[in-house]
Amino acid sequence: DVKNARAHVEELKEDAPREDLKTATKTIRNAWQETNKLMKRHVSTLTGAKLGNIIHRMEMLEQKFVKARDRLKERNADVSALDERLAQLHNTLGDARKKYEDAVKMFAEAQATQNVDSAAKEVQGLLKEARADLKTAQEQLRVVVQEIKTQLRATATAATANAMVVSEASASSG
């Protein structure tokens, strides 16, 4: 369409009638609107892909934190608060993942039926909700990290105290 519009404009001369100019303007405007729609579709596809990548990385962090919790549990640390925070994080990430997958599915269906424009607002709404969930999950990740650090400090202090008690006991018995 852009090539057609350009060819039409190049055919016009300076003394072209007003109607020809209006027709050329209309052709250019229509070509631009189609190009703009295509750009929006591609931008939303890229945004969705980026969002999916962020969700995946956060899920990988969640798995690392679960492993850290397991190691703390092996050290006899109280991980009940950490378990609660990890459960909240898991639920929030699950909600974000579901909204993201629903948006991707809806966008794919809309592309198959050439009905992208009508579904675009709904897809964008789902992606916006998924981003909000990810923001919440990010805050929950911070809390989980703080909880893990607190538990590590507590277990390190307890281990140091146990080592001191054992060394005092062995010194006094010897």
Side-chain angles (χ1 to χ4, degrees):
D1 280 343
V2 175
K3 288 180 183 178
N4 292 339
R6 185 177 198 159
H8 187 73
V9 169
E10 288 175 354
E11 289 174 4
L12 294 176
K13 297 189 169 87
E14 286 185 32
D15 59 342
R18 187 172 179 93
E19 287 301 314
D20 288 347
L21 292 174
K22 282 184 178 181
T23 305
T25 304
K26 200 178 264 186
T27 305
I28 291 170
R29 187 175 297 125
N30 289 340
W32 173 248
Q33 287 175 350
E34 287 300 315
T35 304
N36 200 16
K37 286 179 187 178
L38 286 172
M39 286 190 318
K40 284 182 181 181
R41 288 179 196 157
H42 290 293
V43 165
S44 99
T45 301
L46 290 173
T47 302
K50 183 178 177 184
L51 195 61
N53 188 23
I54 292 170
I55 291 170
H56 176 73
R57 289 193 327 230
M58 288 183 111
E59 288 172 340
M60 298 304 289
L61 279 173
E62 177 193 16
Q63 290 175 4
K64 285 183 179 182
F65 292 149
V66 167
K67 288 178 184 177
R69 189 254 346 249
D70 292 343
R71 287 192 302 270
L72 284 169
K73 205 172 197 177
E74 290 172 4
R75 295 181 184 179
N76 297 323
D78 180 22
V79 293
S80 58
L82 184 57
D83 282 337
E84 191 176 309
R85 299 219 189 322
L86 283 171
Q88 289 173 345
L89 175 64
H90 181 75
N91 291 337
T92 304
L93 286 175
D95 290 346
R97 165 75 61 192
K98 180 166 180 9
K99 289 172 186 172
Y100 167 74
E101 288 173 351
D102 288 348
V104 168
K105 182 180 176 184
M106 188 180 298
F107 189 72
E109 289 172 357
Q111 278 186 321
T113 61
Q114 299 296 320
N115 198 13
V116 175
D117 295 331
S118 64
K121 288 210 184 283
E122 199 169 343
V123 168
Q124 287 174 352
L126 284 170
L127 292 176
K128 187 175 183 178
E129 290 174 18
R131 280 192 299 274
D133 285 344
L134 285 177
K135 192 171 187 177
T136 302
Q138 185 179 16
E139 291 299 319
Q140 291 171 342
L141 280 173
R142 286 187 183 129
V143 172
V144 167
V145 168
Q146 289 300 326
E147 185 68 31
I148 289 173
K149 285 181 179 179
T150 302
Q151 289 299 326
L152 283 173
R153 279 189 225 114
T155 57
T157 305
T160 304
N162 282 343
M164 290 174 61
V165 168
V166 168
S167 67
E168 287 177 11
S170 63
S172 60
S173 64

